[in-house]
Amino acid sequence: MTRIDQTFARLRAEGRKAFVSYIMAGDPDTATSLAVMKGLPGAGVDIIELGMPFTDPMADGPTIQLAGQRALDAGQTLEKTLAMAAEFRKGDDRTPLVMMGYYNPIYSRGVDRFLTDAKAAGIDGLIVVDLPPEEDDELCIPAQKAGLNFIRLATPTTDDARLPKVLQNTSGFVYYVSITGITGAAAPEAADVAPEVARIKAATDLPVIVGFGITTPEAAEAIAGIADGCVVGSAIVKDIGEGRPVAEVLARVAALAEGAHRG
């Protein structure tokens, strides 16, 4: 079992939902993002998604696009992102780490080298938004052989004909994108999301986590209440982008986590 599998087993036993947070590695600089990262578990985060900055983040809205650009401008690289994970692991061997981003930086590094380095750094899973199931031989299957979960996105446009293909080599959890569009867009309504979550859960035993557009503790509670948990990214990244102190960012995260755990 990966740390992700262990975390969901523990949460089920405790009767709690998962709170997943996203930050962009290296935003606004490596030291600050590492400080936020180290504080996330204490703020109630169950799984950390660590963004890999990339020059052409097609699925991301302005908030995360700007975060990636800030990180790149500050000199963040895939090497430094892996080093951040390794540094985090020195003090936390429990919290799952999921690297999220696009295939280009992984391809440029070389898949075999990347997977070896990611495993050594303590990475537990990958979300690579621009690799469809038709390309599973490229990264998904090698990642799973290396002991990493490969987490797939399902969306409102993933119909019943497409869903089995999306799920076939997915592990860890399914990330349901609650709205059509980019990150940080309109807030999802639990009543609209619930039937879609139920449809996915009928097709898989994996946990279903819902993200995109969740910005308040109340929204986190509502969405977590109809799924196995929720993801918050843009709301946290926005606070970091505004230059708020680390302690203030983590206080916002704690409020969101509390809402999700009530779900």
Side-chain angles (χ1 to χ4, degrees):
M1 292 178 70
T2 65
R3 289 186 187 91
I4 296 171
D5 300 326
Q6 292 167 354
T7 294
F8 279 109
R10 187 183 75 250
L11 290 170
R12 279 193 299 271
E14 295 171 356
R16 292 198 302 127
K17 301 300 180 72
F19 181 65
V20 183
S21 71
Y22 170 97
I23 61 168
M24 179 66 73
D27 175 36
D29 53 67
T30 302
T32 303
S33 62
L34 181 59
V36 173
M37 184 181 179
K38 287 182 174 180
L40 292 174
V45 172
D46 299 300
I47 297 172
I48 297 171
E49 290 179 0
L50 188 61
M52 297 180 282
F54 179 52
T55 53
D56 189 23
M58 66 187 80
D60 293 309
T63 298
I64 291 179
Q65 284 186 29
L66 288 169
Q69 195 58 56
R70 286 191 300 267
L72 292 170
D73 289 346
Q76 189 71 8
T77 62
L78 184 55
E79 187 75 32
K80 289 182 179 180
T81 301
L82 290 165
M84 275 181 65
E87 183 63 29
F88 174 86
R89 278 282 169 249
K90 291 178 181 178
D92 186 319
D93 194 43
R94 180 180 181 181
T95 306
L97 296 177
V98 175
M99 291 185 76
M100 183 172 185
Y102 299 84
Y103 185 46
N104 183 279
I106 297 170
Y107 177 80
S108 297
R109 190 177 185 83
V111 168
D112 291 343
R113 181 187 175 199
F114 170 77
L115 292 175
T116 298
D117 294 346
K119 188 70 176 173
I123 298 298
D124 303 290
L126 302 174
I127 301 174
V128 183
V129 300
D130 55 348
L131 271 184
E134 287 75 14
E135 306 296 335
D136 275 357
D137 288 340
E138 193 81 20
L139 178 63
C140 172
I141 291 171
Q144 307 236 47
K145 287 180 179 177
L148 299 174
N149 289 127
F150 198 88
I151 296 143
R152 193 87 67 191
L153 303 179
T155 75
T157 59
T158 306
D159 61 20
D160 289 339
R162 180 66 174 167
L163 186 59
K165 188 74 172 175
V166 169
L167 296 174
Q168 69 180 5
N169 288 316
T170 300
S171 65
F173 60 91
V174 179
Y175 186 140
Y176 180 66
V177 177
S178 59
I179 54 173
T180 303
I182 53 176
T183 58
E189 293 291 337
D192 297 330
V193 175
E196 292 300 297
V197 171
R199 182 170 68 91
I200 296 167
K201 289 181 74 66
T204 180
D205 292 330
L206 291 171
V208 178
I209 304 299
V210 177
F212 280 43
I214 300 168
T215 60
T216 66
E218 293 75 20
E221 179 179 0
I223 293 297
I226 52 90
D228 295 298
C230 68
V231 186
V232 177
S234 294
I236 299 167
V237 171
K238 182 173 181 289
D239 283 354
I240 294 170
E242 291 174 352
R244 298 181 186 275
V246 170
E248 194 173 319
V249 172
L250 294 174
R252 169 75 171 269
V253 172
L256 288 160
E258 187 178 339
H261 290 148
R262 286 196 303 264

